[in-house]
Amino acid sequence: MKQLRLWLLGLFALCGIAAVAQEAKADSTGYIVKVGQTAPDFTVTLTDGKTVKLSDFRGKVVMLQFTASWCGVCRKEMPFIEKDIWQKHKPDPDFMLMGIDRDEPLNKVIAFGKSTGVTYPLGLDPGADIFAKYALRQAGITRNVLIDKEGRIVMLTRLYNPEEFSSLVRKIDELLK
């Protein structure tokens, strides 16, 4: 019994060290990824039932928007993403935009898309497991991750700031030239 307790204490200590290590890697906005690194791969199911893998889009410029229906800033930003990015670039075969909805059921995500007027694909992230590949699980949203054609992260945004958003729009334009 004593050995079991010692083993469990050791296990808890290791879990604590792992959590601290993850905290230490995060930047001031909660991102655990950095500009210049390869974007972590994932598989996501979209609201239309289609399953896609991020690496399937290698060779395209990809924008990921981490969002949720309860996020007021997301609701403010999404119409700008729709108008200034998606509507402008959706015909371009070298561009992909995906909203990744944090830990909400399909019916809620579909209703959220309709209420915000977005037509870009929305994916489901049960348990926020995709989100946790990019930022601390407890970190907030909205977040945008811009990925170049080689699969490297070229820009990370947090919250909605008009100047930063304009920068994002310009960077997408530049990457698609």
Side-chain angles (χ1 to χ4, degrees):
M1 191 64 167
K2 186 176 181 182
Q3 282 182 323
L4 178 61
R5 268 187 276 181
L6 285 173
W7 183 83
L8 286 172
L9 277 172
L11 181 63
F12 288 133
L14 283 175
C15 289
I17 290 167
V20 168
Q22 186 181 26
E23 293 283 342
K25 292 191 312 187
D27 70 12
S28 63
T29 65
Y31 274 113
I32 58 173
V33 293
K34 293 180 180 16
V35 168
Q37 83 177 68
T38 300
D41 202 13
F42 59 84
T43 300
V44 63
T45 301
L46 303 176
T47 55
D48 66 2
K50 185 178 177 185
T51 299
V52 297
K53 193 171 184 180
L54 178 62
S55 55
D56 293 343
F57 299 109
R58 198 60 57 86
K60 296 179 184 267
V61 172
V62 178
M63 180 179 151
L64 305 176
Q65 183 224 4
F66 289 99
T67 189
S69 67
W70 46 262
C71 170
V73 179
C74 301
R75 288 181 174 278
K76 178 179 179 181
E77 180 185 52
M78 290 171 83
F80 292 104
I81 293 173
E82 175 72 21
K83 178 176 70 75
D84 299 334
I85 297 173
W86 182 240
Q87 290 304 317
K88 182 177 182 181
H89 295 295
K90 77 176 178 179
D92 191 328
D94 291 334
F95 182 70
M96 178 58 180
L97 167 61
M98 233 187 317
I100 308 291
D101 188 278
R102 183 178 171 153
D103 203 21
E104 295 185 299
L106 176 62
N107 61 340
K108 190 166 232 170
V109 178
I110 290 170
F112 175 43
K114 286 179 182 169
S115 73
T116 55
V118 300
T119 62
Y120 54 87
L122 293 174
L124 306 173
D125 187 12
D129 293 335
I130 297 169
F131 180 82
K133 292 176 178 278
Y134 288 83
L136 296 173
R137 195 175 293 275
Q138 70 274 18
I141 51 179
T142 192
R143 293 175 184 272
N144 298 305
V145 178
L146 185 60
I147 303 163
D148 70 12
K149 292 178 181 182
E150 287 75 45
R152 286 187 312 268
I153 297 169
V154 294
M155 189 169 183
L156 300 166
T157 70
R158 169 76 177 104
L159 298 173
Y160 174 72
N161 169 299
E163 294 81 30
E164 184 178 59
F165 186 80
S166 292
S167 233
L168 176 64
V169 170
R170 283 192 306 276
K171 188 68 172 176
I172 292 168
D173 292 346
E174 174 189 313
L175 291 170
L176 290 172
K177 281 185 181 174

